[in-house]
Amino acid sequence: MPARVLFSLRLAAFRAERGLSERGPGDEMGLGNRVGSVRINRYERQERFPALDDLDLLADTLNIPVAALLALDDSTARAICALARLTDAEREEAAKRLEELAGRSAASDIG
């Protein structure tokens, strides 16, 4: 699925989960009521994609990692958010467990 589609789906889901209108995240990003609402609406309708700085700001506004906004599905997005709440050592342990569960090593994927 294209990144633009993934982003629009994740943005709408996280916004709804937090009970925010389209205006809410835009306001918190400093875009103002009207501009913020229009911008978020365009993101969710896949008419526009944010610049990287705006993507960072939007993720911060929603209190989620940027990667969660581009996750392949809801389960992956939730896992990314959960991992972000862990310490470095806990994330390392979680990564090892996920690799075991997936039946492959990180070295074969990365290198």
Side-chain angles (χ1 to χ4, degrees), residues 19-40:
L20 298 172
S21 67
E22 290 176 345
R23 181 176 293 154
D27 280 348
E28 291 186 41
M29 290 173 65
L31 300 173
N33 286 343
R34 187 174 187 291
V35 172
S37 178
V38 169
R39 179 86 49 93
I40 298 302

Side-chain angles (χ1 to χ4, degrees), residues 1-7:
M1 192 175 303
R4 186 177 302 267
V5 174
L6 293 172
F7 170 74

Side-chain angles (χ1 to χ4, degrees), residues 3 7 18 25 36 45-46 55 58-59 69 73 80 82-83 85 92 95 100 103-104 106:
F7 170 74
R18 284 156 178 72
R45 289 187 303 164
Q46 303 168 35
L55 191 60
L58 183 56
L69 286 168
D73 53 43
I80 290 167
L83 285 167
R85 292 190 299 269
E92 182 62 32
E100 289 171 7
R104 61 178 185 268

Side-chain angles (χ1 to χ4, degrees), residues 81-93:
C81 289
L83 285 167
R85 292 190 299 269
L86 301 177
T87 66
D88 289 345
E90 290 169 332
R91 272 194 302 277
E92 182 62 32
E93 180 61 29

Side-chain angles (χ1 to χ4, degrees), residues 97-109:
R97 289 183 188 176
L98 286 170
E99 290 164 359
E100 289 171 7
L101 184 62
R104 61 178 185 268
S105 72
S108 66
D109 289 344

